[in-house]
Amino acid sequence: MELQLLARPAAAAPSSSARPSLQLPAPAPGPSRPRRPGFPTLRAAAAAAAAIAAEPETKEQQQNSNMETEVFACPVCYEPLMRKGPPGINLPAIYRSGFKCSKCNKSFTSKDIFLDLTVIAGTKEYSEQKPARTELFRSPLVSFLYERGWRQNFNRSGFPGLDEEFQMAQDYFQPVAGGILLDVSCGSGLFTRKFAKSGTYSAVIALDFSENMLRQCYEFIKQDDTLLNANLALVRADISRLPFASCSVDAIHAGAAIHCWPSPSNAVAEISRVLRPGGVFVGTTFLSSPRNNPFSVEALRPLRQIVGPVNTSYNYFTEGELEDLCKSCGLVNYSSNVQRSFIMFSGQKPY
C-alpha cells in the first residue's frame, strides 16, 4: 500500500539573495514586431491568471480541498501522521488504515470501531484514572443509559431539547458551512448523527475519551446505512491533547461537556489551537446556580453499587467566567443564549 503523508507543510521559497543574478545584455534597438491578432501579451496573460487565482473558491472547491488534506496528527508531538491504507474520513477507510507519526514513530490503529489517538494508545502496563466526573462516563452502564433517559432529564435545567439545540448550533456554524466539524465529548453521538446527516459539512469527526461511549455511538450509526457510508469518523482522544494539526478544523461542537472536563482552560486552549482562522466553537453547559445539578445524590445512588464512588463535583461556571475563558484562549466574537440554567455559548478564531 502507498504510504501517504497526511499533512505536508509547504516548502519555503528559496531566498532571492541565495540565487546568483544573471545579467543579460540589453537587446539592440530595432523596429518593434507587430503583435499577432488573437494572442495576448505575456503581461496580459499573467494579469488574467492572477485575476483567476484571486477569485474566491466555490463551496464545492472548498469541500474538495478539505477532503484532500487530512487533519490527524500525533497527540505527543503534533506532527502529521503517515497513513497506510485507503484515504478518506469515513468508518470503513479508517478501520482499514494504520497511522504512524512521522517524527516520533508512534503507531496508532483502529480499536474495535474507533481510532485511538490518545497519548496512552498502545500502552501495555501503564494506566491512569481521570477525575470521577470523567470516569463516570466510561462506565458501560452510563454509556448505555445516556441516550435512553439520562440526557433527556437535562430539560429540567432549561435545556431546550435536541432538535432546538441542534438548530441553534447550526445557526452559529453558518459561516463555516462546508468545512470539517469536530463533535468533541460526543457521548453516544446524539448530535454527531444530526451534523453528519445535515449535509452541511465535508466531514464530521466524533471524538470522546470514553471507549464505551464511542461503542454506543457506533451502535446507533450502524442502524443507518447513509451514516455508515458518510464522511464520518469515530476517534478516541483527550480533549486537552487534541490529535489534530494546528489551524486544521473549521467547527467544533461540545454539547453538555465543559463541566465534565478535567481542565476546561487547557481544553479551550486546544480548541483554539486546532481551529482555522475564522473557525467557530460552540458549547453548551449548565450555568452555576442552586438548581443546575441534574445528578442528585438520589439519582446516582443505584450507580454507586455498580461503578463505585461517584463524585458530583462538576465544573459549573457563570456566564462571565465562560466569556472570560474563551477570550483568554484567543477566541473573539463571543455570544451566548441563556435559558434558565442552560447556556449555549460561542467564540470564533480570529482571522
Side-chain angles (χ1 to χ4, degrees), residues 71-72 114-115 117-118 181-189 192 204-211 213-214 217 232-244 249 252-255 257 261 270-271 274:
V71 297
F72 297 129
F114 57 85
L115 175 62
L117 292 180
T118 58
L181 178 141
L182 298 186
D183 187 19
V184 300
S185 297
C186 65
S188 58
T192 298
V204 174
I205 301 174
L207 181 151
D208 206 290
F209 188 74
S210 168
E211 305 93 324
M213 280 294 189
L214 291 168
C217 192
L232 169 62
L234 303 181
V235 174
R236 182 177 184 238
D238 188 335
I239 188 62
S240 294
R241 198 77 184 175
L242 292 174
F244 301 96
V249 175
I252 298 181
H253 174 261
W261 294 345
E270 274 291 271
I271 287 170
V274 304

Side-chain angles (χ1 to χ4, degrees), residues 5 10 19 27 53 107 157 163 167 177 204 257 262 282 293 304 311 333:
L5 186 63
R19 297 194 299 265
S107 297
S157 296
D163 291 338
Q167 190 54 57
V204 174
V282 175
N293 192 347
R304 286 195 178 94
N311 185 354
N333 298 330

Side-chain angles (χ1 to χ4, degrees), residues 246-298:
S246 298
C247 302
S248 62
V249 175
D250 302 276
I252 298 181
H253 174 261
I258 191 172
H259 53 275
C260 299
W261 294 345
S263 175
S265 59
N266 287 345
V268 177
E270 274 291 271
I271 287 170
S272 180
R273 178 184 67 81
V274 304
L275 279 175
R276 286 193 175 116
V280 177
F281 167 51
V282 175
T284 60
T285 189
F286 300 88
L287 285 174
S288 179
S289 80
R291 57 183 300 177
N292 70 350
N293 192 347
F295 313 109
S296 64
V297 174
E298 292 75 16

Side-chain angles (χ1 to χ4, degrees), residues 24-265:
L24 295 176
S32 60
R33 297 176 59 185
R35 184 167 57 89
R36 295 173 60 184
F39 284 78
T41 63
L42 290 177
R43 181 177 298 176
I52 293 173
E55 291 179 357
E57 289 184 337
T58 65
K59 182 177 179 181
E60 182 178 357
Q61 288 171 330
Q62 291 174 345
Q63 289 181 346
N64 291 337
S65 175
N66 286 338
M67 291 308 299
E68 290 170 2
T69 305
E70 298 191 53
V71 297
F72 297 129
C74 176
V76 177
C77 55
Y78 295 137
E79 287 294 311
L81 292 182
M82 295 184 294
R83 178 173 182 164
K84 187 176 183 180
I89 302 179
N90 58 74
L91 293 173
I94 291 179
Y95 181 77
R96 292 157 53 197
S97 297
F99 298 83
K100 188 174 184 179
C101 178
S102 58
K103 183 176 182 180
C104 69
N105 291 325
K106 185 174 176 64
S107 297
F108 305 89
T109 57
S110 293
K111 185 178 181 181
D112 296 331
I113 42 74
F114 57 85
L115 175 62
D116 192 342
L117 292 180
T118 58
V119 171
I120 59 174
T123 55
K124 297 179 179 179
E125 300 294 333
Y126 178 80
S127 64
E128 64 183 16
Q129 294 290 313
K130 295 289 186 180
R133 59 181 176 270
T134 300
E135 290 295 322
L136 174 67
F137 294 96
R138 298 181 70 186
S139 158
L141 177 62
V142 174
S143 300
F144 178 82
L145 293 176
Y146 187 79
E147 198 165 328
R148 298 172 174 88
W150 183 294
R151 181 55 163 80
Q152 288 78 354
N153 285 328
F154 289 9
N155 62 4
R156 298 178 181 178
S157 296
F159 277 66
L162 300 178
D163 291 338
E164 186 174 345
E165 292 171 49
F166 169 71
Q167 190 54 57
M168 292 167 64
Q170 286 286 81
D171 291 342
Y172 279 117
F173 287 139
Q174 280 185 2
V176 290
I180 296 174
L181 178 141
L182 298 186
D183 187 19
V184 300
S185 297
C186 65
S188 58
L190 281 164
F191 291 101
T192 298
R193 302 194 299 274
K194 289 182 177 292
F195 287 129
K197 295 188 75 170
S198 71
T200 308
Y201 310 97
S202 59
V204 174
I205 301 174
L207 181 151
D208 206 290
F209 188 74
S210 168
E211 305 93 324
N212 286 306
M213 280 294 189
L214 291 168
R215 293 186 183 107
Q216 281 296 316
C217 192
Y218 179 73
E219 288 298 315
F220 287 108
I221 289 173
K222 74 178 184 180
Q223 298 173 22
D224 190 330
D225 290 339
T226 60
L227 290 175
L228 282 174
N229 298 311
N231 291 324
L232 169 62
L234 303 181
V235 174
R236 182 177 184 238
D238 188 335
I239 188 62
S240 294
R241 198 77 184 175
L242 292 174
F244 301 96
S246 298
C247 302
S248 62
V249 175
D250 302 276
I252 298 181
H253 174 261
I258 191 172
H259 53 275
C260 299
W261 294 345
S263 175
S265 59

